[in-house]
Amino acid sequence: MGRWNHRAVRRVQMEGDCKCVEYAIHEAFYDQDKPGDRPSITLEPVAAYGDTIEELRETLQRMLRALDHPVLDYETHEEINE
């Protein structure tokens, strides 16, 4: 079994001549048998949610902590310098 956390992810897409860059929070999953490997990430960003206000608060706090870690690239899942 692995572990997971929230991570900020940068996605770059071309729309015509425009290079569009967006950031979102995704869940990142790490394989404990392959330490140091790039994580898998959710295809879509995740929303803040909880069954109670306290659970919602904890989710938002985890999402904020994601901003203290390097940003991941959407395509390669590698850490990038911002």
Side-chain angles (χ1 to χ4, degrees):
M1 185 169 187
R3 62 182 180 84
W4 72 277
N5 63 5
H6 288 103
R7 293 293 295 267
V9 174
R10 181 184 74 182
R11 187 173 189 175
V12 179
Q13 299 181 75
M14 294 301 295
E15 293 182 12
D17 293 338
C18 178
K19 179 180 176 181
C20 297
V21 178
E22 61 184 32
Y23 294 84
I25 299 294
H26 290 250
E27 290 177 344
F29 300 89
Y30 304 86
D31 186 342
Q32 72 181 16
D33 295 330
K34 299 177 184 175
D37 274 5
R38 294 174 291 184
S40 298
I41 62 171
T42 54
L43 292 176
E44 298 296 326
V46 294
Y49 63 90
D51 292 333
T52 65
I53 290 295
E54 188 54 38
E55 285 182 10
L56 177 59
R57 183 185 321 277
E58 290 170 11
T59 299
L60 288 167
Q61 289 170 340
R62 282 194 304 271
M63 289 177 162
L64 284 171
R65 283 194 299 271
L67 302 178
D68 295 332
H69 298 282
V71 173
L72 297 177
D73 178 76
Y74 182 82
E75 296 296 327
T76 66
H77 304 187
E78 292 179 352
E79 293 181 353
I80 56 177
N81 294 321
E82 288 294 303

